[in-house]
DNA sequence: CTTGGAAAGTCAACAAGACTGACATAAACT
DNA sequence: AGTTTATGTCAGTCTTGTTGACTTTCCAAG
């Protein structure tokens, strides 16, 4: 255990980390309320389009990695193909997502946002980034680093590896 | 780390915080994946009881504040009373929650966990605390402080006030 | 005291978005 | 040729949200 030293004197590591059940409970509730705040803005926007969080997630990751396959998206989102397919079909029908037959492997479908899809993605991510930016600014750079460090630890190990194999940590 | 160039000169705080869209996007995805990890353990446990996340939330907050009214819980959870009522009815029927008619105002119902309810709450929160404890330990005390600071900033202001009026600062 | 409105809670019906299972098609692999 | 893989679809179920209509209880104005 790599324990960072604090400026003030401390006892055992439990004390250092304030790992009482009460402290942990506060952390748990913080996650709950913060996640709700985090999704509030996009949820409001999506109501105007008769879409839901599922559509947002699909749009987000297609935007991040244009040309990814349905299977790639399935791995990221962790839902069933039937569930994803309903959402994807709507987005393709509505002209927000384009599904092109793969070039090397023609069983695959490569997914891309259309101009309209890009426009919605911008609207959604702008709102979410604004909230994130405000939270970061108010908290300060040291806090942001800690925020990221703890959150990374909370991700399921298998998923964390996948992310590191592409996103490239800071 | 590929640093993006901005079109305008950065203000001091922005420079410090690296608030590029790419950095913010990483924060957004971190929230998404971390929240999924955060709820994974309870979700697994709840399957054995044919309950869902909604039941977990109700149980959690009844345990935290025994005797709270349905309206109190409604304010915390931010769902409709009809939605909460279904969940609550199941829990009462199954003998995990007791609903006592209010003493001063008999329209109200004060909610308490039964021994069985307390047992399930323990099982769920033990799993969640274990994950939180591990994340905290791996990240270190300074990171934990930053984590809490940023998350607090992400909560909707109205909700944050409510929490401060009871939970007390760290 | 009565009455009318507001508040708390309940019942019923419906919708979004997860799930499973079965099956179809096309392409790739062996 | 036969099997596996990638994708898509149909049908049905479950959880958990929603709205609308309703009862019971409380309180306050007449």
């Amino acid at each position: 255990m790599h324990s960072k030293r604090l400026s003030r004197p401390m006892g055992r590591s439990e004390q250092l980390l304030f790992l009482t059940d009460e402290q942990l409970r506060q952390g748990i509730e913080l996650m709950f309320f913060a996640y709700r705040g985090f999704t509030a803005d996009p949820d409001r926007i999506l109501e105007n389009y008769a879409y839901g969080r599922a559509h947002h997630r699909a749009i987000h990751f297609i935007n991040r990695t244009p040309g990814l396959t349905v299977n790639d998206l399935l791995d990221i989102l962790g839902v069933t193909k039937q569930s994803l397919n309903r959402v994807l079909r709507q987005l393709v029908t509505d002209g927000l997502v384009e599904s092109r037959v793969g070039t090397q492997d023609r069983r695959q479908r490569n997914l891309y946002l259309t101009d309209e899809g890009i426009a919605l993605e911008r609207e959604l991510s702008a709102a979410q980034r604004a909230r994130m930016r405000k939270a970061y600014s108010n908290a300060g750079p040291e806090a942001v680093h800690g925020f990221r460090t703890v959150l990374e630890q909370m991700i399921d190990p298998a998923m964390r590896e996948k992310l590191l194999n592409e996103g490239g940590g800071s």
Side-chain angles (χ1 to χ4, degrees), chain A:
Chain A
M1 191 121 329
H2 47 54
S3 57
K4 288 193 177 179
R5 300 281 170 252
L6 291 187
S7 50
R8 52 192 194 286
M10 280 289 169
R12 287 195 302 269
S13 68
E14 284 83 4
Q15 285 173 325
L16 269 172
L17 293 172
F18 302 115
L19 294 183
T20 63
D21 281 1
E22 169 60 17
Q23 287 286 334
L24 293 168
R25 200 217 71 199
Q26 284 189 21
I28 287 166
E29 294 188 3
L30 218 39
M31 278 295 284
F32 171 65
F33 291 115
Y35 194 76
R36 197 162 66 190
F38 167 71
T39 56
D41 300 325
D43 285 353
R44 253 190 304 277
I45 293 168
L46 288 159
E47 278 176 20
N48 305 328
Y49 297 85
Y51 290 143
R53 239 176 249 184
H55 303 83
H56 182 191
R57 292 196 281 260
I59 288 173
H60 173 95
F61 287 107
I62 294 172
N63 175 71
R64 192 191 63 167
T65 313
L68 91 174
T69 67
V70 173
N71 241 352
D72 293 338
L73 198 46
L74 245 24
D75 283 348
I76 292 171
L77 297 177
V79 299
T80 58
K81 64 175 179 174
Q82 294 91 331
S83 188
L84 175 59
N85 189 254
R86 185 177 354 92
V87 166
L88 231 37
R89 197 167 48 210
Q90 287 177 270
L91 292 172
V92 169
T93 301
D94 296 354
L96 295 165
V97 167
E98 194 189 348
S99 168
R100 294 185 211 151
V101 172
T103 48
Q104 327 101 315
D105 187 336
R106 297 197 346 206
R107 291 171 302 181
Q108 297 182 338
R109 298 291 178 274
N110 296 108
L111 303 171
Y112 301 88
L113 292 185
T114 64
D115 289 348
E116 202 184 338
I118 290 172
L120 178 54
E121 196 283 331
R122 287 240 178 87
E123 186 180 353
L124 292 168
S125 68
Q128 209 156 28
R129 275 199 305 267
R131 183 179 289 250
M132 188 69 75
R133 183 180 288 114
K134 195 180 290 181
Y136 275 16
S137 294
N138 291 345
E142 302 263 326
V144 169
H145 185 261
F147 163 80
R148 296 178 50 111
T149 305
V150 173
L151 250 48
E152 274 169 22
Q153 291 299 322
M154 227 170 317
I155 299 173
D156 247 42
M159 197 69 222
R160 187 161 56 229
E161 276 202 26
K162 272 188 219 166
L163 292 177
L164 294 181
N165 290 344
E166 27 151 319
S170 68

